[in-house]
């Protein structure tokens, strides 16, 4: 009983002490709207944060990003005076609702261009030759025509085209060239195939690019015969130098060999399986083997005698007519397993393949 009374007194004393401490730490009525730290000093509370976005907020965000780039914390501080946090500003910028609002108000390409400019400002770069911000880029029909004419003259050399057009940033020129709006402009002015033809020609006119090759049926026949003659084991550079007299590069020959047009030519001229058989004749590969029932029986009997000694089977039983690797592949192939099942039972191959 004495121990219990002592414990109750201790609890009461600690409760009284804690009440005094709490009474000291409670703030006065005069500091409402302020909070106290552990030392008893007070500091201003941040203003309440908003979660809803209005159309005016979206417009302010658009202008703030145009001025400050993708520096979301600075946009939150300078444009919104911290009624939104930096992460809220960033999330709103990348939201689908904001992008739709910008597309309706400024056009479908406005957001993408602003994003590119904002990244340049954020990274310490500049847009349009001026430090800081630059208005969203708008392309007129006259500028599109200038771009078209400059590309036709200079090829896909975007820096040269940018200098010719008086634009400081070649990325803007390149982005415009690949845009759907510019392709629509070209199709409307010059026809549906004009853009593709100009783009291909422009790629060829870049420094170091090779001209496009027009393949004739004689060229295809020469390419086919050169590869069938095992010239350099399909060494494209040697075929280019000796057979085509460097008229076509080794890369042109290689690309033509693997092209769909050349495969169709081979199928039409030499049969549907000719290309596939020729592919097997590449460097280091073996020609195809037409396995007969007698070959399969020889393989089965040889394996029963020697086990998985593929090289010995190839040399002694097939006189090296069929390579070691081809013998091994035939043993594990589905047609051979079917042959064994028909001849010797469904589990004969499974039991035989463990023999060494």
């Amino acid at each position: 009983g004495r121990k219990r009374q002592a414990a109750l007194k201790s609890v009461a004393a600690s409760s009284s002490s804690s009440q005094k401490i709490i009474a000291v730490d409670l703030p006065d009525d005069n500091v409402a709207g302020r909070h106290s730290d552990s030392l008893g000093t007070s500091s201003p509370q941040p203003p309440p944060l908003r979660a809803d976005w209005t159309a005016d907020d979206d417009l302010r965000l658009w202008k703030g990003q145009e001025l400050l780039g993708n520096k979301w914390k600075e946009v939150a501080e300078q444009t919104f005076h911290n009624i939104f946090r930096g992460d809220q500003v960033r999330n709103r910028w990348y939201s689908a609702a904001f992008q739709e609002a910008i597309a309706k108000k400024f056009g479908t390409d406005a957001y993408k261009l602003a994003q590119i400019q904002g990244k340049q400002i954020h990274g310490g770069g500049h847009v349009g030759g001026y430090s800081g911000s630059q208005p969203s880029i708008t392309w007129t029909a006259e500028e599109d025509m200038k771009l078209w004419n400059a590309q036709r003259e200079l090829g896909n050399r975007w820096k040269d085209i940018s200098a010719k057009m008086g634009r400081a940033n070649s990325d803007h020129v390149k982005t415009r060239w690949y845009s759907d709006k510019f392709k629509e402009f070209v199709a409307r002015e010059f026809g549906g195939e004009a853009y593709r033809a100009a783009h291909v020609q422009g790629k060829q006119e870049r420094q170091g690019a090779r001209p496009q090759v027009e393949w004739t049926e004689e060229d295809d026949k020469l390419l086919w015969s050169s590869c069938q003659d095992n010239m350099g084991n399909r060494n494209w550079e040697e075929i280019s130098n000796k057979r085509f007299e460097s008229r076509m590069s080794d890369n042109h020959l290689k690309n033509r060999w693997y092209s769909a047009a050349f495969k169709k030519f081979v199928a039409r001229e030499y049969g549907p399986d000719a290309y596939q058989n020729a592919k097997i004749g590449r460097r280091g590969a073996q020609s195809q083997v037409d396995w007969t029932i007698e070959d399969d029986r020889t393989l089965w009997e040889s394996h029963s005698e020697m086990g998985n000694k593929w090289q010995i089977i190839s040399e002694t039983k097939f006189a090296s007519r069929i390579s070691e690797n081809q013998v091994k592949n035939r043993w594990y192939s589905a047609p051979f397993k079917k042959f064994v099942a028909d001849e010797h039972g469904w589990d004969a191959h499974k039991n035989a393949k463990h023999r060494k």
Side-chain angles (χ1 to χ4, degrees):
R2 291 180 180 179
K3 291 182 178 181
R4 182 175 181 182
Q5 290 177 359
L8 291 173
K9 289 180 180 180
S10 176
V11 170
S14 62
S15 174
S16 175
S17 175
S18 63
Q19 288 176 355
K20 291 179 181 179
I21 294 173
I22 292 171
V24 171
D25 289 340
L26 285 174
D28 297 333
D29 294 337
N30 294 330
V31 291
R34 302 165 72 88
H35 67 279
S36 302
D37 55 23
S38 58
L39 299 177
T41 60
S42 59
S43 59
Q45 275 190 335
L49 299 176
R50 284 176 45 196
D52 57 319
W53 286 82
T54 65
D56 291 338
D57 292 331
D58 284 342
L59 188 58
R60 291 172 64 186
L61 172 56
W62 176 256
K63 295 297 183 182
Q65 190 270 355
E66 184 181 17
L67 177 64
L68 300 170
N70 296 1
K71 301 175 182 178
W72 308 118
K73 186 176 180 181
E74 295 183 15
V75 173
E77 293 174 352
Q78 300 183 29
T79 304
F80 293 101
H81 305 292
N82 287 324
I83 62 172
F84 294 110
R85 297 190 306 270
D87 62 310
Q88 289 178 307
V89 172
R90 182 191 66 240
N91 293 342
R92 181 61 181 180
W93 175 266
Y94 289 109
S95 68
F98 179 78
Q99 295 181 31
E100 291 175 2
I102 294 303
K104 291 179 180 178
K105 192 169 185 64
F106 299 103
T108 55
D109 292 336
Y111 176 86
K112 181 179 179 181
L113 293 173
Q115 175 69 6
I116 294 173
Q117 293 173 351
K119 286 183 177 180
Q120 293 170 341
I121 296 173
H122 182 76
H126 63 276
V127 181
Y130 299 95
S131 60
S133 64
Q134 185 81 351
S136 298
I137 298 173
T138 57
W139 286 79
T140 64
E142 290 79 10
E143 289 175 317
D144 281 340
M145 186 62 72
K146 288 181 181 179
L147 172 56
W148 172 258
N149 293 331
Q151 191 272 349
R152 299 289 288 168
E153 176 186 350
L154 301 172
N156 296 0
R157 300 170 184 164
W158 309 117
K159 290 185 178 180
D160 295 340
I161 294 174
S162 177
K164 185 177 181 65
M165 296 181 63
R167 288 184 175 270
N169 196 321
S170 60
D171 288 339
H172 295 164
V173 174
K174 183 177 179 180
T175 300
R176 182 62 179 184
W177 175 266
Y178 287 106
S179 68
D180 291 337
K181 285 192 173 182
F182 183 77
K183 293 176 183 178
E184 292 173 0
F185 163 80
V186 174
R188 187 171 59 251
E189 293 289 331
F190 305 101
E193 297 296 327
Y195 176 86
R196 181 178 179 277
H199 185 67
V200 171
Q201 186 67 26
K203 289 174 67 176
Q204 294 167 356
E205 290 177 357
R206 288 179 304 180
Q207 186 175 3
R210 290 183 176 271
Q212 193 174 10
V213 174
E214 296 292 340
W215 284 85
T216 65
E217 188 170 321
E218 289 72 21
D219 292 331
D220 284 338
K221 289 180 179 178
L222 180 58
L223 175 59
W224 174 259
S225 62
S226 300
C227 293
Q228 296 311 297
D229 291 343
N230 291 324
M231 190 169 194
N233 286 323
R234 201 171 299 167
N235 185 322
W236 303 115
E237 185 176 0
E238 188 174 349
I239 294 174
S240 171
N241 294 334
K242 292 187 176 181
R243 289 296 181 89
F244 287 87
E245 300 177 349
S246 299
R247 178 168 55 88
M248 297 183 184
S249 69
D250 54 339
N251 195 47
H252 286 151
L253 298 177
K254 182 179 179 180
N255 291 341
R256 182 62 178 183
W257 176 268
Y258 290 107
S259 68
F262 183 74
K263 293 176 183 178
K264 290 180 180 178
F265 162 79
V266 173
R268 185 178 66 251
E269 292 289 326
Y270 305 102
D273 298 329
Y275 181 83
Q276 181 65 27
N277 295 338
K279 281 185 66 178
I280 297 174
R282 64 188 182 276
R283 181 186 299 183
Q286 299 288 333
S287 58
Q288 280 187 322
V289 175
D290 293 326
W291 286 82
T292 64
I293 295 179
E294 288 74 17
D295 291 333
D296 284 340
R297 285 174 180 162
T298 301
L299 175 56
W300 173 257
E301 294 169 359
S302 303
H303 187 274
S304 300
E305 178 186 347
M306 304 176 187
N308 296 353
K309 297 179 181 179
W310 311 117
Q311 183 177 359
I312 298 176
I313 293 175
S314 170
E315 294 174 353
T316 60
K317 300 299 182 178
F318 293 98
S320 298
R321 175 174 60 88
I322 302 175
S323 71
E324 170 191 357
N325 195 49
Q326 288 171 328
V327 171
K328 178 181 178 181
N329 290 343
R330 182 64 178 181
W331 175 265
Y332 290 106
S333 68
F336 183 76
K337 291 179 181 178
K338 185 179 184 301
F339 160 79
V340 173
D342 293 341
E343 294 282 328
H344 306 282
W346 66 272
D347 59 345
H349 187 276
K350 178 180 179 182
N351 295 332
K353 75 173 188 176
H354 295 292
R355 299 174 189 169
K356 300 296 182 185

